[in-house]
Each structure stands twice: as C-alpha cells, then as structure tokens.
Amino acid sequence: MMKPAQVVKALAALAQPTRLAIYRLLVERGPDGMAAGQVAGKLKASPATLSFHFKTLSHAGLIGSRQEGRFIYYAANFTVMNDMLAYLTENCCGGDQAACAAPVKKKC
C-alpha cells in the first residue's frame, strides 16, 4: 500500500497538462511503452521539454524507461498507478463497494 507522501508526489507530478498528457499516452500504449521521439511527435513537444517532464514522472515512480539501441522507451508503471488508485479508493463510500460503482450514463 502506498504511503500518503508517495501519493502526493505522484498526484503533484500529474498536476501539469503536459505531464498528464504524457502519462495518459503511455498508459494507452501499455507495458511496451513508447520511444521518447514518438512521444515528442505525438504531443508536438521539444525533446528538451519532454526530458524534464519524463524526469518528474520517473521520480514520482509513475513511469520507467529502458534503452534499446539509440532509443529510450518510456512506459507507465502500472503497479504504482494501481496502488495509487487503491489508496484513493480504499475507504470509498464507507466500504460499500456497490455505492462506489460509476453511475450508468443514460443516452438522450
């Protein structure tokens, strides 16, 4: 289970539009992640700017990286993401799981 300080650090890292966009993109890509250059192209951001954001997300434990040849691939750390969600919803609705279910959207 995550400690409150870890959750705050992760949420603070996500509380910036570019970092949130990076993280959402990496979550969408799954465990294989995406090369830094591909992220830059997709988000239309400079590599220098992305480097700063990758570092912040990495320090918060939200992403990891691996080098393959000349490329650095970044991927979401799904364990940390799931632990953070579990922490945030641990006592949801006083433990009444049914009350915590997302409401069904009605079509107009």
Side-chain angles (χ1 to χ4, degrees):
M1 184 57 83
M2 289 182 85
K3 294 184 170 82
Q6 293 170 300
V7 175
V8 169
K9 189 173 187 176
L11 291 174
L14 293 172
Q16 196 281 339
T18 302
R19 286 193 293 272
L20 183 60
I22 292 167
Y23 190 70
R24 290 182 53 138
L25 181 62
L26 294 176
V27 167
E28 183 181 319
R29 290 297 292 225
D32 290 336
M34 191 175 210
Q38 292 175 308
V39 174
K42 192 85 165 167
L43 298 180
K44 296 177 179 40
S46 75
T49 299
L50 283 182
S51 178
F52 168 76
H53 293 305
F54 285 139
K55 183 175 122 185
T56 302
L57 291 166
S58 180
H59 282 300
L62 292 167
I63 65 171
S65 64
R66 71 182 188 285
Q67 184 140 8
E68 288 186 16
R70 302 177 324 156
F71 302 101
I72 298 175
Y73 286 80
Y74 291 90
N77 182 333
F78 291 98
T79 300
V80 170
M81 179 184 77
N82 289 326
D83 287 350
M84 183 173 59
L85 291 172
Y87 177 88
L88 292 171
T89 59
E90 180 179 18
N91 298 314
C92 182
C93 302
D96 180 2
Q97 294 295 323
C100 293
V104 176
K105 293 183 181 181
K106 294 180 182 180
K107 293 184 179 183
C108 297

